[in-house]
Amino acid sequence: MRRTPTMKDVARAAGVSVMTVSRAFKRDTSVGEETRKRIHAAADDLGYVFDSMAANLRSQRSHFVAVTIPSLNNANFAATVEAMTARLGAAGYQVLLGHTGYDILREEELIAEFLSRRPEAVIVTGGRHTPRARSLLSNAGVPVVETWDLPDDPIGHVVGFSNAACMDLLVDHLAGQGYVRIAFIGGDAGGDTRGADRRRGFVAAMQARGLDATRLIRAGQPPISMHEGAAAMAYLLDKAPDTEAVICVSDLSAFGALTECQRRGVSVPDDIAIAGFGAYDIAGICVPTLTTVDPCPAQIGDRAADLVLTLIETPGGPAVARIEPVLKIGQSTTRDP
Amino acid sequence: MRRTPTMKDVARAAGVSVMTVSRAFKRDTSVGEETRKRIHAAADDLGYVFDSMAANLRSQRSHFVAVTIPSLNNANFAATVEAMTARLGAAGYQVLLGHTGYDILREEELIAEFLSRRPEAVIVTGGRHTPRARSLLSNAGVPVVETWDLPDDPIGHVVGFSNAACMDLLVDHLAGQGYVRIAFIGGDAGGDTRGADRRRGFVAAMQARGLDATRLIRAGQPPISMHEGAAAMAYLLDKAPDTEAVICVSDLSAFGALTECQRRGVSVPDDIAIAGFGAYDIAGICVPTLTTVDPCPAQIGDRAADLVLTLIETPGGPAVARIEPVLKIGQSTTRDP
DNA sequence: GCCTGTAATGTTATCGTTATCAGCCAAGGC
DNA sequence: GCCTTGGCTGATAACGATAACATTACAGGC
């Protein structure tokens, strides 16, 4: 069994010291043009593959950035991560991605695992964590960024927005269109703290306008699916048929709700208006298009990545980068004049 | 600036040697119950975090499994990865996930980066790679699994299915319902080789039944979106209004096509039938529900993970695990009797 | 010719953990 | 009393790279 070659083997083959080989594999280091070529030729010849593990240990730089998101199967978190990966990758960092399943206990485990890989920064989603997770992150000695939220008591840095304020945008829009009896469809209280924040934001926004905020449908364990959105809409149409508009915790559940209306011959928006959250592709193409709020996920990724890159160079005190979500009005809440 | 503590610090604090500390952090090693407790207490006290980097270097085991997928923003790849992560995580492995953007050059870079982290196995999506990527993987000395495809010339192991055969399932179903003038909507020839395989499979399936296979709409750079599916359907309805059925390269483009019909008042399936691929959530809830093919993404993840775990223990010769995709008939292709 | 500067290369000592082997001690068999 | 056995612990030397410093060679200024 052939052992995988090391720098030593390459050095021997090229007739130089290992140090020169090491230098030949880096940029901005002085190695003769001739020598460098010879070394790379020898390396290719031997099938040498650089060993980051050893390099990381000696240089105490892992070039990892740990990132946790609740779920891989979510276009918005995916967009955030893709944006991060692009920026961090360009700067020579590798993203170590994990998903928590919306479970802060699982998040804690994941953070512990990740920290043992000595990432140079950690980016987490949301502002709620277990005490041990908080403590691990605080003591990790690397920049920590919380995203997709504006925590009351941040661990370190923040790149996010107020989920509650997004609901204010929607309620404002609906109230402006003259809707009064407005319902909310979301998940049960559970792991999805951003969903729970939006529910709270809905209640606050309604109360601030003197509107009844008791039409709250709990549609199952969050995050709720299209099917659960449909079931919730069925329940709503049966139990509170005088409802004029409904805000769903996400576009996916909103679309499910829309399909239930279609199956029943209930017209949207003439009989009932529907709004969602997230600006998923589907909101822009379904018939009618859905009113929603765009949380600018790629912007979150970009900003978080930039922040991390800055902080790795020059550590700095906590900062909050506020993202401004954008109301996108669709056909599903547009009342005929 | 306080240096992060090492085993040496823990050993000193607990009054034992570093070796004993090392043992105390593993299972199945003989350390006195008293001593173990004392060591863990000292570790917690100091805020010690185990350093995998050093452990990996010495033990020559990274506990990484590298996984590449074309895109994060895809429910099916996400399902595959979530299934893998669950199994591999339970066995103590960490998934190193990267996305290629459907670009085999980017895939090559990613594979090179990943290999320098010394993963214990590599799982890639699809069977088309650059020559250098193939060579890197072949020489890596670790198990390699290709998924989501049945490559003609596999690098190592395979867990996949025939994308072309899936189209045969759909054409068979449509032809059985009496449809004759059937079109295909897909992306331009490009990075999405599985989409291209499905296009080829469509042509083959049509020709095998003596049907005209020339209604091929190219809807843009793959993977095509809902919007591109809608635009392609608009084109099809304009240029070939006698088309009776259309198969789309994915459910997402199929849904886009469906919305275009809704906007035009074209009835599905009465005026035109639509089928997709992927069994995404949306196919099961939109009105009408879409006929599709379920590639069983979670099963792919499970099987690939099991295979990798077996191979890490006892390397074995190449094997092919064939997944059988399942036709799911929806309302969108059901002709009235 | 001597000094200084700079580019290219080499030497040595680690980074933090674990593999390996050796040592110690108590219990038990003869 | 001596040897074996097994449970626990320690000493030492790596794993494969790089930081830090040392060395060499050669050019140019005086």
Side-chain angles (χ1 to χ4, degrees):
Chain A
M1 175 91 190
R2 193 167 44 81
R3 191 176 48 83
T4 111
T6 72
M7 273 195 180
K8 208 154 152 189
D9 302 310
V10 177
R12 195 178 2 253
V16 293
S17 72
V18 282
M19 201 56 231
T20 305
V21 178
S22 174
R23 280 192 271 253
F25 275 90
K26 308 246 160 288
R27 272 176 270 276
D28 309 329
T29 44
S30 59
V31 176
E33 202 46 48
E34 278 296 296
T35 319
R36 175 172 251 131
K37 264 191 212 134
R38 193 152 35 92
I39 289 171
H40 278 110
D44 285 352
D45 202 43
L46 292 170
Y48 170 71
V49 176
F50 184 84
D51 188 333
S52 299
M53 257 164 33
N56 295 344
L57 175 60
R58 174 62 240 229
S59 65
Q60 295 291 76
R61 304 213 42 188
S62 65
H63 294 281
F64 271 134
V65 172
V67 177
T68 71
I69 55 177
S71 168
L72 282 178
N73 185 5
N74 178 301
N76 283 334
F77 295 136
T80 296
V81 173
E82 294 198 349
M84 279 177 192
T85 307
R87 300 231 161 174
L88 295 173
Y93 292 90
Q94 177 67 53
V95 167
L96 198 52
L97 180 65
H99 56 97
T100 65
Y102 293 91
D103 177 356
I104 59 173
L105 288 172
R106 174 68 194 126
E107 187 197 50
E108 175 188 311
E109 285 176 33
L110 205 52
I111 287 171
E113 279 178 43
F114 279 178
L115 287 180
S116 83
R117 304 278 183 183
R118 294 289 187 267
E120 300 191 36
V122 182
I123 302 175
V124 298
T125 305
R128 230 185 109 234
H129 316 281
T130 64
R132 194 169 96 88
R134 287 187 68 93
S135 135
L136 283 169
L137 290 172
S138 302
N139 297 326
V142 295
V144 175
V145 181
E146 291 169 284
T147 60
W148 276 88
D149 207 345
L150 293 178
D152 295 329
D153 180 21
I155 299 174
H157 302 260
V158 175
V159 177
F161 60 91
S162 163
N163 279 273
C166 292
M167 293 301 104
D168 204 77
L169 287 177
L170 286 175
V171 170
D172 184 64
H173 164 67
L174 290 174
Q177 299 271 316
Y179 294 104
V180 172
R181 292 185 297 279
I182 310 175
F184 182 89
I185 290 176
D188 304 336
D192 181 10
T193 57
R194 286 158 299 289
D197 285 345
R198 295 203 283 278
R199 174 190 298 274
R200 267 194 297 279
F202 168 77
V203 171
M206 292 291 281
Q207 289 172 345
R209 288 168 182 77
L211 298 173
D212 171 39
T214 59
R215 295 172 194 243
L216 300 169
I217 316 292
R218 296 181 180 271
Q221 198 60 23
I224 62 171
S225 65
M226 293 179 177
H227 280 91
E228 287 162 324
M233 183 57 121
Y235 179 87
L236 184 67
L237 290 173
D238 288 343
K239 301 293 177 179
D242 63 338
T243 302
E244 297 171 281
V246 54
I247 296 176
C248 298
V249 72
S250 76
D251 287 347
L252 305 183
S253 45
F255 176 73
L258 171 61
T259 63
E260 182 61 22
C261 293
Q262 292 174 344
R263 275 185 290 276
R264 294 182 175 217
V266 171
S267 166
V268 176
D270 294 338
D271 298 331
I272 190 167
I274 299 179
F277 172 87
Y280 293 78
D281 280 353
I282 198 171
I285 193 149
C286 61
V287 181
T289 58
L290 291 172
T291 292
T292 187
V293 173
D294 184 353
C296 308
Q299 202 188 329
I300 294 177
D302 285 337
R303 300 279 291 274
D306 285 345
L307 181 57
V308 152
L309 290 173
T310 307
L311 290 169
I312 289 175
E313 297 269 317
T314 55
V320 175
R322 215 190 178 91
I323 302 289
E324 288 302 334
V326 178
L327 177 69
K328 301 184 90 170
I329 298 173
Q331 298 154 345
S332 66
T333 60
T334 312
R335 226 169 202 180
D336 284 334
Chain B
M1 174 92 189
R2 192 167 43 83
R3 191 178 48 82
T4 109
T6 73
M7 274 194 181
K8 210 155 149 186
D9 302 310
V10 178
R12 193 174 7 248
V16 294
S17 70
V18 281
M19 202 54 234
T20 305
V21 177
S22 173
R23 280 191 271 253
F25 274 90
K26 307 248 160 286
R27 271 176 272 276
D28 307 330
T29 43
S30 58
V31 176
E33 201 46 47
E34 277 297 296
T35 319
R36 174 171 252 131
K37 264 191 212 134
R38 191 151 37 91
I39 289 171
H40 278 109
D44 285 351
D45 201 43
L46 292 169
Y48 170 72
V49 176
F50 185 83
D51 187 333
S52 298
M53 258 165 33
N56 295 343
L57 175 61
R58 174 63 239 227
S59 64
Q60 295 292 76
R61 303 213 46 188
S62 65
H63 294 281
F64 270 135
V65 172
V67 177
T68 71
I69 55 176
S71 169
L72 282 178
N73 185 3
N74 178 301
N76 283 334
F77 295 136
T80 296
V81 172
E82 294 199 347
M84 280 177 191
T85 307
R87 301 231 161 174
L88 294 173
Y93 292 90
Q94 177 66 55
V95 167
L96 198 52
L97 180 65
H99 56 97
T100 66
Y102 293 90
D103 177 356
I104 58 172
L105 288 171
R106 175 68 195 127
E107 187 196 50
E108 176 188 310
E109 286 175 32
L110 205 52
I111 287 170
E113 279 178 43
F114 278 177
L115 287 181
S116 82
R117 304 277 183 182
R118 295 291 189 267
E120 300 191 36
V122 182
I123 302 176
V124 298
T125 306
R128 230 185 109 236
H129 316 282
T130 64
R132 195 169 95 88
R134 286 187 69 91
S135 136
L136 283 170
L137 289 173
S138 303
N139 298 325
V142 295
V144 175
V145 181
E146 290 170 285
T147 60
W148 275 87
D149 207 345
L150 293 177
D152 295 330
D153 180 20
I155 299 173
H157 302 260
V158 175
V159 177
F161 61 90
S162 163
N163 279 274
C166 291
M167 293 301 105
D168 204 78
L169 287 177
L170 286 176
V171 170
D172 184 64
H173 164 67
L174 290 174
Q177 299 271 316
Y179 294 104
V180 172
R181 293 186 296 279
I182 309 175
F184 182 89
I185 289 175
D188 305 335
D192 181 11
T193 57
R194 284 158 302 288
D197 285 347
R198 293 203 284 276
R199 173 191 298 274
R200 267 195 296 280
F202 168 77
V203 171
M206 292 292 280
Q207 288 172 346
R209 287 167 182 77
L211 299 173
D212 171 38
T214 59
R215 295 173 193 240
L216 300 169
I217 316 292
R218 294 181 181 273
Q221 197 61 22
I224 62 171
S225 64
M226 292 179 177
H227 279 91
E228 287 162 324
M233 182 57 119
Y235 179 87
L236 183 68
L237 291 173
D238 288 342
K239 302 292 178 179
D242 64 337
T243 302
E244 297 171 281
V246 54
I247 296 175
C248 298
V249 72
S250 76
D251 287 347
L252 305 185
S253 45
F255 177 73
L258 171 61
T259 63
E260 183 61 21
C261 294
Q262 293 174 343
R263 276 184 290 275
R264 293 182 176 218
V266 171
S267 166
V268 177
D270 294 338
D271 297 330
I272 190 167
I274 299 178
F277 172 87
Y280 293 77
D281 279 354
I282 197 171
I285 192 149
C286 62
V287 181
T289 58
L290 290 172
T291 292
T292 187
V293 174
D294 184 352
C296 308
Q299 201 188 332
I300 294 177
D302 285 338
R303 299 281 291 274
D306 286 345
L307 181 57
V308 153
L309 291 173
T310 308
L311 290 168
I312 289 174
E313 297 269 316
T314 55
V320 174
R322 214 189 181 92
I323 302 289
E324 289 300 335
V326 179
L327 176 69
K328 300 184 89 171
I329 297 172
Q331 298 154 346
S332 66
T333 58
T334 312
R335 228 171 200 178
D336 283 336

